[in-house]
Amino acid sequence: MDKVVRMSSEKGVVIVSKSSCCLSYAVQVLFQDLGVHPVHEIDKDPDCREIEKALMRLGCSTPVPAIFVGGKLVGSTNEVMSMHLSGSLVPLVKPFQANLC
Amino acid sequence: MNTTSTHFVPPRRFEIYETTLNQVSMWEENFKNNGGIYIPNSIIIPTDAKQDSLSDDTSHGTPHKFDQEASTSRHPDKTQRRLAQNREAARKSRLRKKAYVQQLETSRLKLIHLEQELDRARQQGFYEGNRVDTNALGFSDKMSSGIVAFEMEYGHWVEEQNRQISELRTVLQGQVSDVELRLLVDNAMKHYFQLFRMKSAAAKIDVFYIMSGMWKTSAERFFMWIGGFRPSELLKVLLPHFDPLMDQQVLDVCNLRQSCQQAEDAVSQGMEKLQHTLADSVAAGNLGEGSYIPQITCAMERLEALVSFVDQADHLRHETLQQMHRILTTRQAARGLLALGEYFQRLRALSSSWATRQREPT
């Protein structure tokens, strides 16, 4: 769990997902559209089970996708979509947008 | 006939009296042809002219009242009165016609609704028919009853929707307080949210049913996106009805349109990936060997994800409506909800018209 939080603090935006999860993929696509390229597929991670359990404990009804921004858990697909439609997602991820030079 | 009297009409007055005379002549013909019984129709007649014709017919004398030249110079008041009565009768006739046309339109709408109900009942019958052959078609009892229940609930939902739309339309045509309008707007929003809840429950029972849109009419199905309307389409339909928009609103709506499109695209791509994954699962291994239980099992697991996609699509619809509500004033929101409601009504009417057209013998 700490690993994920640490990663998030380093990279800024992390999507905890599984390669088989298509909703996670949808969230990925959305972030890519906003110029952010995060992702951490935990099914390839040895600590997969642990991370899943930790996420459930944090209150996520489904472990994946779980989106972290700046070290904090933002939520799952629902939260991200709501935030984007209300206009609060872009300012949140702005500091982490990739500069496409 | 009295038409010969037109020769005596001075040219400059001719156009004023022409219609009156023609109408009176028509009435007289009508009177004669119907055996002396006056049969009311939409012919407009000045009332005092009617009296005159009656006496003229029986007496066969020269109709003094129809001597236009004589009457205008000698009785200007009488002609003025006749003109006024003519206008009044014309006005009444127009009102009668308007009422009749409105009646026709209401009946036509009723007919369309009845046909839709019939279609739905037929579909239900299809579903219930399946219940009898549960083994043959593979539908479980619980599935069928759950879906039948959803269909019935949806039927009520549409009825309530139509009622709300009519109410909004009536209220917006007159003077209405913002307080009352806000109540109507809130009710309309809650009504849509109720539908999303119903769909979520039905999707858990049979996600293919929701995805196929069998509970909708054919035209609605044509425009479907993951079990419902496209959020971006919703914004496109509503936008023209919000004018005038304040500057901040224009900006907000612009941003909403963009983020809505992005969210929709993201979910669409996720959906495509799911389809590919599902197809791969079904086609995995060696096709043609006749044993495919592992493939089916794998596909079944993947299908569970479809439910979350339907939920996510409805979530987008929910949030789009919510954001529009936030951006707009109460009055704008009311107009928007009326426009949206009628848009769906029209799609349903289109489906009925199309179905009826196809049933006509060639």
Side-chain angles (χ1 to χ4, degrees):
Chain A
M1 195 59 235
D2 304 315
K3 183 158 72 168
V4 177
V5 177
R6 237 184 303 125
M7 218 190 324
S8 167
S9 313
E10 286 165 26
K11 290 195 196 156
V13 183
V14 176
I15 304 176
V16 179
S17 79
K18 283 190 191 165
S19 54
S20 58
C21 177
C22 297
L23 261 186
S24 304
Y25 180 67
V27 175
Q28 242 176 283
V29 169
L30 181 65
F31 275 105
Q32 273 167 19
D33 225 353
L34 301 178
V36 184
H37 303 271
V39 79
H40 181 66
E41 283 169 2
I42 59 170
D43 45 349
K44 300 190 182 102
D45 194 301
D47 296 324
C48 180
R49 270 279 120 81
E50 292 301 311
I51 297 176
E52 265 185 346
K53 273 192 241 160
L55 285 169
M56 302 287 272
R57 253 182 278 133
L58 273 175
C60 296
S61 50
T62 44
V64 289
I67 297 95
F68 289 81
V69 177
K72 276 198 254 169
L73 175 64
V74 164
S76 189
T77 326
N78 275 5
E79 285 76 28
V80 167
M81 293 295 172
S82 301
M83 282 181 72
H84 190 45
L85 287 184
S86 69
S88 47
L89 189 64
V90 171
L92 191 68
V93 302
K94 219 178 173 75
F96 311 108
Q97 275 172 334
N99 289 326
L100 305 156
C101 318
Chain B
M1 280 299 291
N2 303 318
T3 45
T4 48
S5 58
T6 52
H7 292 312
F8 297 107
V9 178
R12 61 190 157 87
R13 286 205 221 263
F14 187 71
E15 72 241 35
I16 302 169
Y17 298 115
E18 187 189 28
T19 30
T20 320
L21 271 177
N22 286 340
Q23 283 158 359
V24 171
S25 314
M26 278 162 70
W27 183 87
E28 281 181 39
E29 289 238 43
N30 184 7
F31 186 87
K32 280 188 190 155
N33 293 339
N34 290 306
I37 304 160
Y38 176 61
I39 297 184
N41 52 24
S42 59
I43 292 171
I44 300 148
I45 337 165
T47 35
D48 63 342
K50 194 180 10 162
Q51 306 294 77
D52 296 336
S53 317
L54 259 173
S55 53
D56 286 338
D57 257 338
T58 45
S59 65
H60 294 286
T62 322
H64 294 289
K65 292 282 173 13
F66 289 97
D67 188 338
Q68 299 300 327
E69 188 185 68
S71 58
T72 41
S73 51
R74 265 187 279 145
H75 306 283
D77 295 322
K78 271 215 177 113
T79 37
Q80 284 308 310
R81 190 156 49 103
R82 209 182 302 144
L83 284 176
Q85 280 167 340
N86 204 0
R87 278 194 295 274
E88 184 58 38
R91 193 182 72 86
K92 285 205 180 115
S93 176
R94 279 194 297 273
L95 283 173
R96 274 200 304 274
K97 182 178 177 186
K98 190 177 177 191
Y100 179 59
V101 169
Q102 271 176 354
Q103 238 187 349
L104 276 180
E105 295 201 338
T106 318
S107 304
R108 190 157 189 280
L109 269 176
K110 266 196 205 141
L111 185 65
I112 290 173
H113 288 154
L114 277 172
E115 279 178 332
Q116 281 169 12
E117 276 220 53
L118 207 63
D119 272 331
R120 256 201 301 280
R122 249 187 236 118
Q123 281 175 29
Q124 261 184 46
F126 173 75
Y127 224 91
E128 275 177 337
N130 285 345
R131 198 160 24 142
V132 177
D133 314 310
T134 46
N135 290 325
L137 290 163
F139 288 128
S140 73
D141 242 359
K142 201 173 173 189
M143 239 191 198
S144 300
S145 61
I147 296 302
V148 166
F150 169 78
E151 287 220 349
M152 272 172 40
E153 228 188 320
Y154 180 67
H156 296 315
W157 187 90
V158 173
E159 274 168 24
E160 174 61 19
Q161 179 78 338
N162 290 334
R163 192 199 63 77
Q164 283 185 1
I165 292 164
S166 292
E167 193 174 7
L168 265 176
R169 194 180 291 126
T170 314
V171 145
L172 283 170
Q173 276 169 354
Q175 298 285 76
V176 61
S177 68
D178 262 14
V179 171
E180 193 190 338
L181 211 51
R182 194 171 308 137
L183 194 67
L184 291 176
V185 166
D186 284 345
N187 281 345
M189 299 285 285
K190 279 193 204 131
H191 197 57
Y192 278 113
F193 299 162
Q194 187 202 341
L195 180 62
F196 300 146
R197 280 195 301 275
M198 282 161 56
K199 281 167 69 184
S200 184
K204 288 187 180 68
I205 296 171
D206 183 357
V207 71
F208 277 140
Y209 177 79
I210 294 294
M211 284 294 297
S212 66
M214 289 314 296
W215 43 286
K216 285 180 179 278
T217 60
S218 34
E220 289 174 293
R221 237 176 281 144
F222 179 69
F223 290 107
M224 245 184 28
W225 174 77
I226 312 184
F229 60 82
R230 256 182 203 280
S232 56
E233 187 66 35
L234 176 142
L235 289 176
K236 201 173 73 172
V237 164
L238 297 191
L239 206 56
H241 299 270
F242 300 141
D243 288 330
L245 283 171
M246 295 179 285
D247 287 344
Q248 184 57 46
Q249 285 181 320
V250 173
L251 193 65
D252 286 341
V253 169
C254 210
N255 288 336
L256 181 62
R257 284 191 84 176
Q258 189 186 33
S259 49
C260 185
Q261 191 65 60
Q262 283 170 331
E264 208 177 283
D265 288 342
V267 174
S268 290
Q269 290 192 47
M271 187 65 195
E272 266 179 48
K273 182 169 189 230
L274 181 60
Q275 277 183 322
H276 290 316
T277 326
L278 203 55
D280 287 344
S281 303
V282 170
N286 297 318
L287 286 161
E289 282 184 355
S291 80
Y292 38 75
I293 294 179
Q295 284 82 1
I296 300 300
T297 316
C298 179
M300 289 279 284
E301 279 170 19
R302 299 231 188 277
L303 266 180
E304 294 299 326
L306 196 54
V307 180
S308 51
F309 266 92
V310 172
D311 278 342
Q312 195 53 230
D314 273 349
H315 179 68
L316 281 188
R317 292 184 258 268
H318 184 298
E319 289 301 294
T320 307
L321 283 171
Q322 196 81 290
Q323 287 304 314
M324 284 311 311
H325 185 239
R326 182 186 64 86
I327 294 170
L328 300 171
T329 63
T330 310
R331 207 154 285 263
Q332 286 168 326
R335 282 208 298 272
L337 284 164
L338 174 59
L340 183 66
E342 202 185 284
Y343 177 66
F344 290 128
Q345 274 181 338
R346 290 185 188 187
L347 283 180
R348 290 194 275 268
L350 177 62
S351 306
S352 288
S353 295
W354 183 254
T356 323
R357 175 191 162 283
Q358 284 186 325
R359 284 188 217 128
E360 279 164 19
T362 43

